[in-house]
Amino acid sequence: MKLYQSLMPAALLLAASTSLSSAAETWDMPTAYPASNFQTVNAQDFSKCVATGTNGDISIVVHPNGSLFKGNDIKRAVQTGQTQMGERLLSAHENENALFGTDSIPFIATSYDDSVKLYHAAKPEMSKLLEEQGIKLVYSVPWPPQGLFFNKDVNSVADMGGVKVRSYNKATARLAELTGMVPISIEAAEISQAMAAGVINSLITSAVTGQDSKVWEQLTHFYVVQAWMPRNAVIINKTVWDGLSPDKQKVIDDCAVAAEAAGIEKSKAANDAAVAALKSNGMKVLDPSSKLAGELDDIGAKMAAEWVAKAGDPGAAVLKDFKK
Ligand code: PCA
């Protein structure tokens, strides 16, 4: 009787602590792009992978299209713990540190293979920067190469003068300046509205974001200039991460590796489908004239030099590693 009595609370305690440590948690994951976009579909697949791997202990709810936080607010929301996770275009934070803009240096990495190589060269330094901000980098997936959308023939930089273009990071804004365009910062979720209202009449983005924005309703030309391949990064609040058991951290790491590989394939397929959609909706999909391509090359070289000057030794080390 005595033994039974003394064992009982321990057993109850154990049961209670077991159910506590395996209590199901629900996390938020805001993103800035539509539910049907390949980045979002990939994030949903990642969420399923984590749910399966943790036997339902961690459910990640993806909130697409800026519905929970606007793109520009997602990184800070993760950093301050307003959300556990989030997906963000890190190059939009190049003003904090040039390293965040590594993927948007013009004409450096314009193929998927090179994008992966550049990412791996930049990742250690970028992860360190993020950790200092209380954020852990989980995975990252490149957008398709960036092109130029207009509502007219553009055969040289002179034809771009005065055009109002949507910018989404420092590189898009700088490219606009150097080509005589007027950059206007607009969230992806608001592009269609801004085009319809005449706030912008040009985009620097992928065929995919052009398709997502039904760009053919206002614009007519897509120039395949392959400027760069910016990346979205899925990030997690470091305190949340540090509070996880090693088993759960491993599930997330494994799902992240799978998401990076699958994301690249989704990005390629989405680009092909988007180019087809632009054409079938009557848009001209064109290579730039040799004059335009040459002028953009010169501007790209200037921007790359500016980036190197800003990024200093860590930036030079990243590019050296990428080129070897
Ligand atoms: N789409 C995103 C980033 C790059 C891209 O292709 C956007 O335009 O916001």
Side-chain angles (χ1 to χ4, degrees):
M1 193 63 184
K2 209 167 172 227
L3 183 69
Y4 174 79
Q5 274 180 333
S6 66
L7 276 178
M8 194 51 189
L12 279 176
L13 212 71
L14 186 68
S17 76
T18 307
S19 74
L20 256 188
S21 68
S22 65
E25 293 183 53
T26 301
W27 294 354
D28 291 314
M29 178 159 154
T31 87
Y33 298 95
S36 59
N37 180 277
F38 75 92
Q39 298 271 14
T40 318
V41 171
N42 204 47
Q44 295 283 12
D45 290 349
F46 169 79
S47 158
K48 276 180 221 149
C49 178
V50 172
T52 307
T54 61
N55 293 314
D57 280 353
I58 300 176
S59 336
I60 301 169
V61 181
V62 177
H63 302 270
N65 221 25
S67 57
L68 188 62
F69 290 98
K70 286 193 188 305
N72 200 37
D73 299 327
I74 290 174
K75 180 165 168 283
R76 174 164 296 275
V78 174
Q79 188 171 358
T80 55
Q82 295 174 76
T83 175
Q84 291 84 359
M85 295 189 79
E87 182 192 78
R88 179 61 175 147
L89 186 85
L90 283 184
S91 63
H93 300 280
E94 189 178 338
N95 55 341
E96 291 172 25
N97 192 298
L99 262 298
F100 288 136
T102 308
D103 60 27
S104 300
I105 309 167
F107 308 120
I108 294 270
T110 60
S111 69
Y112 283 92
D113 285 350
D114 279 352
S115 164
V116 170
K117 232 176 121 187
L118 182 58
Y119 172 59
H120 286 294
K123 192 177 170 186
E125 196 64 34
M126 241 169 44
S127 302
K128 210 173 84 191
L129 286 172
L130 288 169
E131 297 233 349
E132 285 164 12
Q133 300 182 336
I135 294 171
K136 182 184 148 64
L137 178 58
V138 179
Y139 72 80
S140 167
V141 173
W143 288 93
Q146 306 293 287
L148 298 170
F149 289 93
F150 294 109
N151 60 3
K152 60 175 187 178
D153 283 325
V154 169
N155 294 313
S156 67
V157 163
D159 294 338
M160 294 158 76
V163 168
K164 291 174 287 180
V165 63
R166 176 242 179 184
S167 60
Y168 62 74
N169 66 5
K170 190 173 170 196
T172 45
R174 186 69 181 132
L175 180 62
E177 272 171 26
L178 292 170
T179 52
M181 295 198 281
V182 183
I184 300 163
S185 170
I186 291 170
E187 292 284 343
E190 279 141 30
I191 292 175
S192 298
Q193 213 187 326
M195 280 191 306
V199 173
I200 47 168
N201 41 31
S202 170
L203 300 171
I204 304 166
T205 189
S206 58
V208 170
T209 292
Q211 179 189 23
D212 286 347
S213 312
K214 295 201 171 54
V215 75
W216 48 80
E217 290 180 356
Q218 311 292 335
L219 308 182
T220 48
H221 293 56
F222 180 56
Y223 289 95
V224 183
V225 302
Q226 319 236 54
W228 58 81
M229 297 173 74
R231 287 173 161 265
N232 277 8
V234 166
I235 52 180
I236 184 169
N237 176 281
K238 198 152 174 321
T239 307
V240 171
W241 173 260
D242 289 341
L244 294 174
S245 68
D247 283 358
K248 284 184 181 156
Q249 289 185 344
K250 180 164 188 327
V251 169
I252 292 178
D253 279 339
D254 290 349
C255 291
V257 170
E260 265 180 16
I264 288 192
E265 296 313 312
K266 288 189 182 89
S267 182
K268 290 178 187 170
N271 188 47
D272 292 347
V275 168
L278 297 180
K279 288 181 183 162
S280 71
N281 282 284
M283 293 197 76
K284 290 184 185 169
V285 176
L286 305 159
D287 287 331
S289 68
S290 58
K291 180 165 184 359
L292 178 60
E295 290 173 332
L296 290 176
D297 269 348
D298 291 345
I299 288 171
K302 185 175 168 63
M303 287 172 62
E306 287 173 354
W307 184 87
V308 168
K310 199 89 200 228
D313 289 345
V318 166
L319 290 186
K320 194 170 163 220
D321 186 24
F322 166 67
K323 284 174 182 155
K324 84 175 178 221

